[in-house]
Each structure stands twice: as structure tokens, then as C-alpha cells.
Amino acid sequence: MKAEIIAVGTELLLGQIVNTNAQYLSQKLASLGIDVYFQTVVGDNPGRLRQAIEIGRSRADLLVFTGGLGPTQDDLTKDVLADYLNLGLRLHEPSMAKIEQLFASRGLHMVESNRRQAMSIEGAEPLENTTGLAVGNGLTADGTLYLLLPGPPKEMKPMMDGAGENWLRSNLVDEQPLYSRILKFAGIGESNLEATLLDLIDGQVDPTLAPYAKEGEVAIRVSTKAGSEAEASVKIDAAVAMIKERAGDYLYAERDVPIEEEIIRLLRASRRKLASAESISGGLLAELITNVPGSSGEFLGGVVTYTNHMKHRLLSVPMSQLEGEGAPGAISESTAALMAERVRELAGADFGISLTGVAGPAESEGKPVGLVYFGLAERGKPTVVHTMNLSGGRTMIRIRAVKAALYRLWLSLRD
Amino acid sequence: MKAEIIAVGTELLLGQIVNTNAQYLSQKLASLGIDVYFQTVVGDNPGRLRQAIEIGRSRADLLVFTGGLGPTQDDLTKDVLADYLNLGLRLHEPSMAKIEQLFASRGLHMVESNRRQAMSIEGAEPLENTTGLAVGNGLTADGTLYLLLPGPPKEMKPMMDGAGENWLRSNLVDEQPLYSRILKFAGIGESNLEATLLDLIDGQVDPTLAPYAKEGEVAIRVSTKAGSEAEASVKIDAAVAMIKERAGDYLYAERDVPIEEEIIRLLRASRRKLASAESISGGLLAELITNVPGSSGEFLGGVVTYTNHMKHRLLSVPMSQLEGEGAPGAISESTAALMAERVRELAGADFGISLTGVAGPAESEGKPVGLVYFGLAERGKPTVVHTMNLSGGRTMIRIRAVKAALYRLWLSLRD
């Protein structure tokens, strides 16, 4: 079954609010095995709404509306759809009673316009609104299904999950639900990952493999329609096994989590603690890690030693190491190593990690923009320093340096 | 001018990501005086994308695409639009060179598919991607404007604000050019600011005032059509004067810069240095400040003292202050003050700032989620601590705490 989501509201077109309803409904419909081919947003305008209905009907079997069920003159969804289908509007007594009772209980005079929220399209099934006043509608006309839901998420979601889903299921020409698993990768770019898996991605019909980039991370969605979760898992496991053969070293999770969350999980599992010393990344590394809920158990803290003075003062890196004739300088393999080791000792952690380099705009210590050293000091093991040459603007270099560092850390935690 | 936003990506139709791009672009277009009548989301499917283009053309003068410019087989926007308009694709040499250089610098083999990101539609103006690889396009064909932007917000926003907006302005079919000035506010929420200025926002016809929120900041774009820059400035100055009367204390810049950039500017002008001590914000404060190019001159560094041990070890906050019967604890006014003072001394800075509080999910030290103390220690002045009670999830509380801290710091620098 093909569906289209039509969100009605000028505030969406003005960018005053984000259309989170479309995401919620898309996920919901996918879980019911219904394919969403289009999402449309249209304003509180009868002519354009009618146009959207016309187009939607021509390309979908199910139109899911959200918004435009409220009491104001702007709330037109029921009126316009009824008019388009040459159907009337009927007052839904139970909804009306509920509205009157609510106003009475608050000792308020009921504004007449509230009657609009109790109107139902002729022949439609009224869908109860458990968290608001506007009644929803489920309607079948000329072989097209119309589901009318309120706009406010706190009313839309309960109605969709309750009366809406029930009405949908009872009107579905039995479809198999879609099951998906997200695979998250690090240390490899989207295009390289796809090249590695190209024949699988193109060849795989069931399950399907869909790669996509998401905030500097790479993900692959493995999806299949199946009669049961168990049946789906068997098919998905087989596909994942093939992917692991090719790119197992980059696959850090089989669910949609950032790599820093996996790192915290691995640290917790092995009862180990982490501390960081940042120069080039200026706190970004610590910020990502501490953004993981509960990370305070594994991340002891860090320093942002932006100047040589601070590297010396906080981490007791010798000034002779940082400045003067023939000194390695702040941006060097040996300084990265010292920073990682000293912060590990200072915090009493099992892992100390460090980043020092040149983010630009200008070179520093005669070293080129994009040169970054990542230091990894582990209790009882020799310190390792990775050298990177990154490109991009100042911000991108900082992000790439941190992502690469997190990947290296994850690798050594995994092994 | 009538516009339609077309977001391309199956991940949107599956509800894996929210279409925040549509909101950003809607706000942007509104601020440029362009009316958005429809938003459409279509998957990575040539036939349906072509259909969306056809419908969009029939009802809009400007189609703004986001997504589908990447390297993978799924990224079809340029191919489908070029084919629809019977135009060819040309390799944009500078973009190709940039891609090759990137892979070379990382010592990686460039996968052939990356060439796709450097392709440009015949006759289109290539739009530089400052934060990614896929080149954008601005194209006029048969009286319709086509603006092609990348999907990842990290790439889309800078391109829209830069090359995209320039291309749009130069192609607006308007007798008079649109002049705009961005006003940036801090220390006040979007809805509060809007309420304060509501009559102005509604009443102002020329210049128009368009408020919009942007990464935790609030901005108002003041726009007017005028025959000359000078003529526009007179009108805009008058509107800005009215706004200043109402909200002058929150207006930190009359150009689109983050508040941390203003802070660095003010520090530089007064030859003063800054250091930070963070607990709740885990490095976010330092990260924002060090993201300002050249900030290393004014920001000496900071510490992320996530545990009491680190607060004691790095900042010599007495353990008796942090733990034990009747101790104020880590989340307290006095600890915030000590953290700010100690990091200022440690770094030899003029300002030391600190943040300690509860980001959640759970309460800490029996103190409620959202309770945050901001410490501000200035050389030769008594230390000030501001108490905040913030709402939202873990991430929002961290961001709001940092933004509020930056606002307080800006206030004391301005005076």
C-alpha cells in the first residue's frame, strides 16, 4: 500500500515549527508495512489544500493528514476534504458532549467555534482524541483511505497509536510489516564503504541495504518485510554477516548510536576509566563523550591546554619540549604522547588520549594546516601516537580529528 | 515570488531523520521575502523525483532542493533534474580538484563515485561547499529557478547562507534588490523576544522583521527593498532603533556572528584573557570559544573537571568542600566560585568562568535536574555566581547553560 503524509499548517511553511509529525507517522506507517512515497506540507489555504488532496489521491492509496482540525477559521482540513468528496459534515455528539463538559468543569463559557472540533465527515469513523478536543476521522471513499489526525504532537501521537492504528489495520489489505536494523560504521567514508559493498547493495533485493551519512557518521539500513520479527532477524543476520566479512573492522554497532556511546559501554564493561587532553579540538572530544548519559562513571575529565603555558602548567610538559631552538614543539608526536600520558596519570585513568595539531586558518610552528597527532596512553602499555593529515575548514578539521580519535580508541577497546 | 522546498531522501520517508532542513530553508526564504507555498519530501527514486519536479514547476517560480548530491548511486537530484530539463552534466574542475586533493592528503584511494559530487548541471552556477565535497547548483531554466543544496545540515546551511543566498539575491525577479541586516540576541528566548516585539513584527511592513532561531541563538532579519544601500540603511537603522528601545540589553551584534565571536573580539580589544572550568557542560563552553578562528590569543585554556577527584586534583578545590556531611558539594554556589577563581589563577587569565550543575537524566547530590551555577571570576573584582534553573533534556540543558554563561560573560565585557 502506498501512502502520502499531508501536514497542514502555515506555521510549517514559515519555518516556525519543525515537522516532527511527518517523521513519527513515517516510522509508524513503515512499521505497519505501508510505504510512504511522499510527504507534503501545505498552508491553511483551501485552494492549495484541495490541490494537495487531488495530487495525493492520484499517487497514493492512503492519505494521512495532520493538522487543521482545531477550532479556528484557519482549521480547514475536514471542510476542504468533505467538499472535495462532495460529502457533508455531521456533529459527533460524544465529542461535542466532551467539549461542553470540559468548559463547564472549568466554569468557562464555550466559544461557539469549538463546535468545529466535534464535526465529522459524513460516512467517516470518528477517532477519539484522548488528549485533546478535536475528533479525528477515518474515511474510505472511491477506493482511497483518508486518515485525519490533529496537528499538536501530544494529540496526534496518542490518536495514531490508538484509534488511528486500529482503523488502519482494519482497512489494510494485509501487508507484512517492515523490519530494519541500523549498522553504524566509523573510520571509513560513505563512498568508500559503499564501494566496498557495492555488489551487495545493488544485488541485495531482500533484505535491502541502504547506506546514508548522518552527522559525520556512516550508517547502513538493512530492511526486510517479514511475517514475524524472528523471520526478519534470520534474513537480516545473513546480510549483516556478509557485510562483516567486508567491513567488520569499521562496524562499531548494530543499532543507531554514536561511537562515543559504544566507547562508554566498552569502558564500563571492562571497568576502565578515560581522561582527555585536547589542544586542537578545544574540548570537542570531551563534549561528545560527556554528552553520553551516565558517562561521568567512565570519563573522569580532561584538560583543554590551548597554550604552551597551560600544557606546562596543567600537564607538566617541559617548556624545553614546547619552545626554543630545536624543540619538537606543541604540535609533535612526542608532545601528543606526553599529553596523553600526563593526563592519564593526573586523573588516575586507564586511558589517556590527546589531540594536538593545526586547525588553521594559518599554519603554526611552521607546520601545515590539517596536521594532527592523536596520542593514546594505556595503563601498562606503550603509548601510541597516530599522525593524521586532515583537510577541510577549521571546523571540519576539528570534527574529523575527533571522529578519527574516537575510532582509534574504540578499536583498542574492542580488542 | 512563490517557492517550493523539495527534500530528497528515502531516510526522510522512513522517518529515520527529521526534516529540519525544510524549517531552516523556510525561515531563510521568508527572511528574503520569498513565499513558500509547499514543502515536498520524495525518496531516492528517479520517477517520483521527476514527478515532484514537474508538480513543483507547475506551482512555483523557485524550487529549492536539498539532498541527493552525494557520491552514492542513490544520489540522483542533479541527474534527474538535468534529464528533465534536457541538459547535460559537466565536471566542475575546482570541485574535482578539491576532492582529489582531499583523498591524496589522507593517502586514500579516491573511489570513482566521488566524481559525482563534482558534477554540475550544464548552464548552472556551481555553488561552493565549504564544509563538504558535493558542489551545489543554481540554475535558471524556462523562467523557473532551481537551487540545489546538499542534504546534511552541516553542509546545507553554510551553502544556503553563502553561495546559495548570493545566487538567489542576484536572481530575484524584483524591481528593487532586498537589503537585510541580521540582529543577534542572547539571554532571551525566541518566544519572549517575539512577544516583546510583537506589535513591531506584525505592524512593520517596510522594513519587515523576521525572527528566527538558529542553533540555540535568536536572530531577527530586518529586510527592506530599496534603490540603494544608503537608502536601505536609513530605513533599517530606524527599525533597529525601535528594537533597541525594547530589547537593547539582549542585542549583542548587528551581524550574523555567534556570541562567542563577539566575546573574543571584546577580549582582544581590551587585551584580556579567558580560562574556563567546566563540569556539567563537559567541554562545550571551551569548544564553542575555541571554534572562533584566532581565539587562541584570548582563550588560554580550560579544564573539564567531571569528577570531584579532578576538581581537587586540577583546581585544588578542597575535598571537604565537595564531599562529606554538610559539605556544599560539587553542585553549589561556593564550588562554582572556587572553580572560576582557581582556573583563572592557574591560567594567569583576567577572567575565569565555571559551570557546575545537573544535566540529568537523574538528580545529583539530591539537587534537581536543570540546576546550574555559573561562576565568573574577574581579576581584581569580587567573584559573581549566577544560579539558573533550566529545562529540557540533557543536551538542551548543557547548551542552555553554556549560552546563558556566554551571555553573562558578554554583558560584563561590554560594560
Side-chain angles (χ1 to χ4, degrees), chain B residues 60-256:
Chain B
D61 315 304
L62 164 67
L63 299 188
V64 180
F65 297 83
T66 171
L69 304 192
T72 78
Q73 304 299 318
D74 286 353
D75 296 305
L76 299 160
T77 306
K78 284 173 188 167
D79 309 68
V80 172
L81 180 59
D83 179 68
Y84 174 78
L85 297 170
N86 299 311
L87 296 170
L89 289 173
R90 306 265 179 275
L91 186 70
H92 182 240
E93 295 299 347
S95 301
M96 194 63 232
K98 179 178 161 190
I99 295 171
E100 280 162 345
Q101 180 262 329
L102 171 109
F103 278 84
S105 68
R106 295 207 201 146
L108 294 171
H109 162 69
M110 190 200 84
V111 184
E112 201 48 27
S113 63
N114 280 289
R115 288 177 63 86
R116 296 174 55 77
Q117 301 191 81
M119 297 308 275
S120 188
I121 297 175
E122 186 184 350
E125 180 177 327
L127 307 175
E128 194 194 356
N129 187 334
T130 56
T131 52
L133 295 179
V135 64
N137 269 191
L139 173 69
T140 309
D142 319 341
T144 303
L145 298 178
Y146 302 89
L147 176 58
L148 281 65
L149 304 167
K154 244 182 25 267
E155 298 179 28
M156 184 281 291
K157 292 177 182 179
M159 188 184 289
M160 182 64 208
D161 294 343
E165 180 172 346
N166 294 337
W167 177 81
L168 259 184
R169 286 179 179 278
S170 60
N171 284 276
L172 284 179
V173 284
D174 269 322
E175 61 293 337
Q176 284 192 320
L178 185 80
Y179 295 90
S180 300
R181 189 182 307 170
I182 302 285
L183 307 181
K184 293 300 288 287
F185 298 83
I188 185 169
E190 186 186 15
S191 51
N192 279 336
L193 181 63
E194 214 170 324
T196 314
L197 305 174
L198 199 55
D199 55 319
L200 294 183
I201 292 165
D202 292 348
Q204 277 293 130
V205 181
D206 181 31
T208 58
L209 308 183
Y212 62 98
K214 191 176 165 186
E215 278 104 59
E217 297 180 323
V218 184
I220 290 183
R221 184 184 284 257
V222 186
S223 311
T224 184
K225 288 174 181 164
S228 73
E229 176 114 46
E231 187 194 319
S233 293
V234 175
K235 290 199 274 181
I236 291 174
D237 287 340
V240 171
M242 289 191 292
I243 292 168
K244 277 183 173 166
E245 275 178 28
R246 312 270 191 95
D249 266 355
Y250 307 105
L251 175 62
Y252 69 82
E254 293 190 29
R255 57 207 178 90
D256 192 1

Side-chain angles (χ1 to χ4, degrees), chain A residues 27 194 221 290 302 304 391 394, chain B residues 15-16 72 102 290 302 304 394:
Chain A
Q27 289 176 340
E194 189 180 345
R221 187 188 63 252
T290 56
V304 181
S391 60
R394 181 182 171 83
Chain B
Q16 282 168 343
T72 78
L102 171 109
T290 57
V304 180
R394 182 181 171 82

Side-chain angles (χ1 to χ4, degrees), chain A residues 325-383:
Chain A
E325 201 46 53
I331 298 143
S332 64
E333 202 171 336
S334 46
T335 297
L338 278 169
M339 287 171 68
E341 288 160 5
R342 296 288 164 83
V343 81
R344 189 192 75 72
E345 294 154 11
L346 196 60
D350 304 282
F351 288 94
I353 55 177
S354 69
L355 278 169
T356 181
V358 189
E363 62 167 34
S364 172
E365 295 183 349
K367 284 141 188 167
V369 172
L371 174 65
V372 179
Y373 295 97
F374 168 59
L376 176 58
E378 183 175 354
R379 188 192 298 276
K381 290 196 181 170
T383 299

Side-chain angles (χ1 to χ4, degrees), chain A residues 2 5 12-20 22-24 26-27 30 36-43 48-49 51-52 55 58-59 178 180 182 190-192 194-195 198 202 209-216 221 223 256 275 278-297 299-307 309-310 313-314 343 345-348 360-361 389-396 398-400, chain B residues 2 5 10-20 22-24 26-27 30 36-43 48-49 51-52 55 58-59 70-75 101-103 105-106 108-111 113-114 117 130-133 152-154 190 194 275 278-297 299-307 309-310 313-314 343 345-348 360-361 394-395 398:
Chain A
K2 289 178 289 178
I5 295 164
L12 287 161
L13 293 180
L14 289 169
Q16 286 163 351
I17 56 173
V18 187
N19 190 6
T20 55
Q23 180 188 35
Y24 190 84
S26 291
Q27 289 176 340
V36 176
Y37 278 1
F38 294 93
Q39 295 170 357
T40 298
V41 176
V42 58
R48 289 193 284 273
L49 176 52
Q51 196 186 118
I55 291 167
S58 72
R59 61 190 184 184
L178 184 79
S180 295
I182 304 287
E190 185 185 13
S191 53
N192 277 328
E194 189 180 345
L198 197 54
D202 292 350
L209 306 183
Y212 64 98
K214 193 176 165 186
E215 283 104 56
R221 187 188 63 252
S223 312
D256 194 1
E278 301 178 69
S279 183
I280 181 173
S281 48
L284 178 58
L285 185 60
E287 199 277 312
L288 286 181
I289 292 169
T290 56
N291 203 27
V292 178
S295 51
S296 53
F299 182 74
L300 301 178
V303 297
V304 181
T305 51
Y306 224 50
T307 59
H309 169 77
M310 290 290 272
R313 192 73 190 274
L314 285 178
V343 81
E345 294 154 11
L346 196 60
N389 292 285
L390 305 174
S391 60
R394 181 182 171 83
T395 307
M396 278 314 292
R398 287 156 56 101
I399 292 170
R400 288 182 172 137
Chain B
K2 289 179 286 177
I5 295 163
T10 300
E11 63 275 23
L12 286 161
L13 294 181
L14 287 164
Q16 282 168 343
I17 56 173
V18 187
N19 190 5
T20 53
Q23 179 187 35
Y24 191 84
S26 291
Q27 289 178 341
V36 176
Y37 277 3
F38 293 93
Q39 295 170 358
T40 298
V41 176
V42 58
R48 289 192 284 274
L49 176 51
Q51 197 186 115
I55 291 167
S58 70
R59 60 191 186 185
T72 78
Q73 304 299 318
D74 286 353
D75 296 305
Q101 180 262 329
L102 171 109
F103 278 84
S105 68
R106 295 207 201 146
L108 294 171
H109 162 69
M110 190 200 84
V111 184
S113 63
N114 280 289
Q117 301 191 81
T130 56
T131 52
L133 295 179
K154 244 182 25 267
E190 186 186 15
E194 214 170 324
E278 301 179 69
S279 183
I280 182 174
S281 48
L284 178 60
L285 185 60
E287 198 276 313
L288 287 180
I289 292 169
T290 57
N291 204 23
V292 178
S295 51
S296 52
F299 183 73
L300 301 179
V303 296
V304 180
T305 53
Y306 223 50
T307 59
H309 171 76
M310 289 292 270
R313 193 74 192 272
L314 286 178
V343 81
E345 293 155 11
L346 196 61
R394 182 181 171 82
T395 306
R398 286 155 57 98

Side-chain angles (χ1 to χ4, degrees), chain A residues 183-313:
Chain A
L183 307 181
K184 295 296 291 285
F185 298 84
I188 185 170
E190 185 185 13
S191 53
N192 277 328
L193 180 62
E194 189 180 345
T196 314
L197 306 173
L198 197 54
D199 55 319
L200 293 182
I201 292 167
D202 292 350
Q204 275 293 132
V205 183
D206 179 32
T208 57
L209 306 183
Y212 64 98
K214 193 176 165 186
E215 283 104 56
E217 297 178 324
V218 185
I220 291 184
R221 187 188 63 252
V222 186
S223 312
T224 184
K225 283 187 179 181
S228 72
E229 176 119 43
E231 186 194 320
S233 293
V234 174
K235 288 200 275 180
I236 292 176
D237 287 341
V240 171
M242 289 191 292
I243 293 168
K244 277 181 173 167
E245 272 177 30
R246 314 270 192 97
D249 268 354
Y250 307 106
L251 175 62
Y252 71 81
E254 294 191 25
R255 55 206 181 93
D256 194 1
V257 291
I259 192 165
E260 48 272 22
E261 195 168 319
E262 273 301 292
I263 286 169
I264 292 295
R265 195 183 60 75
L266 290 168
L267 284 167
R268 189 169 299 151
S270 58
R271 291 210 167 67
R272 289 183 290 182
K273 314 289 183 190
L274 175 70
S276 63
E278 301 178 69
S279 183
I280 181 173
S281 48
L284 178 58
L285 185 60
E287 199 277 312
L288 286 181
I289 292 169
T290 56
N291 203 27
V292 178
S295 51
S296 53
E298 284 65 42
F299 182 74
L300 301 178
V303 297
V304 181
T305 51
Y306 224 50
T307 59
N308 288 343
H309 169 77
M310 290 290 272
K311 291 183 182 72
H312 174 63
R313 192 73 190 274

